[in-house]
Amino acid sequence: MNIIEFYKKCRQCPRKCGVNRVVECPTVRIETTSLGFCREPADLRIAFAGLHFGEEPLVTVFGGSGTIFFTGCTLRCAFCQNYQISQDGFGRIVDKAEFVDICLKLQAAGAENINLVTGSHHIPKIAEFLRAARDTGVTIPFCWNSSAYESVEMLKLLEGLVTIWLPDLKTLDSAFSKKLFAAPDYPEAATEAIKWMIEKNPLEISEIPEPPNAKPAEWAEPGEPRDKMLSGVIIRHLFMPGHFAETADVLGWLKENADGKAIISLMNQYTPVPFEENAAQLDARKKSLSSIENRLVTTEEDNDIRDLIEAYDFEYLFYQELTDDTSWLPDFRRPQPFSNKLATPIWHCQHKL
């Protein structure tokens, strides 16, 4: 099937909006009923690309993960730290040639992989672009970083191209996902997608010796080799303050369905975001956020989570140290959206780097 056919009556994500996305896309967001939930037409837009050192150690390794942040999203998470690009349309059109050039620049800068962030609404076009990148000399692994709110039918287009998968498993509660993500069917869609990822991508981890002038890492000893994921799945779950039961349910599902077959990454970094939007947008967001406690995780909650982790005894699990540092929150309008410690910019939609 011609790639553009996937966009003429779009059913790419579980929402199956059925809209015709083959319309002209300006460089700024427009309000139009011809677009679906993701608000993105057939043109692929990107906001930022760079080396990211804040991902899991298996993905960051020495050189950092070569992240590419796409504009738009199939969810509308009320607390999204990337709301500028996922919901407010920040980014610009990139064609196949420029996408390939970005991948080559990330590889030349030492990236361990090409980390494709939130591309679920553009899988057919991204798959086409990835094949072009391979043909043009990109040899490092491709990594799919998503909410897991996607259909297996579309994910199959990435088979043989993507070998590393970083899906979220946000919740198993449909009422909770309806309030916070505008997707009551999220649990069903995400668990089906994750099961497929695990089945198709067995874990393959290789030990890599430290190269000269390697960037220091708080989690690694200087001079020591580090593990690098070549294939497999890392399933992420973000603990929501005040909602221990949701995390317990998710960990129970992961123990039964993923332990020993995938890596678990449990995150405690929930952070209130200082949203800069109009009054109507902020009011809608406030209503959605009322279903959780919009605050940092407490020491008591962190201790409870650690007890739960110990009880489940996962074969391979990452868990963050609790911190009240919020400096990692990105601002994609800047040429360096992150702190210099977390990222090295390579490409930006509005700034020449």
Side-chain angles (χ1 to χ4, degrees), residues 3 119 188 221 233 262 353:
I3 293 299
E188 179 183 356
E221 291 295 327
V233 183
L353 302 178

Side-chain angles (χ1 to χ4, degrees), residues 17 39 95 105 112 157 178 199 245 266 298 307 321 326:
C17 294
R39 305 177 185 178
D95 62 15
K105 286 178 178 176
E112 304 283 357
L157 298 178
K178 180 180 181 180
E199 177 187 354
L266 182 55
T298 67
D307 288 343
E321 292 296 323
T326 63

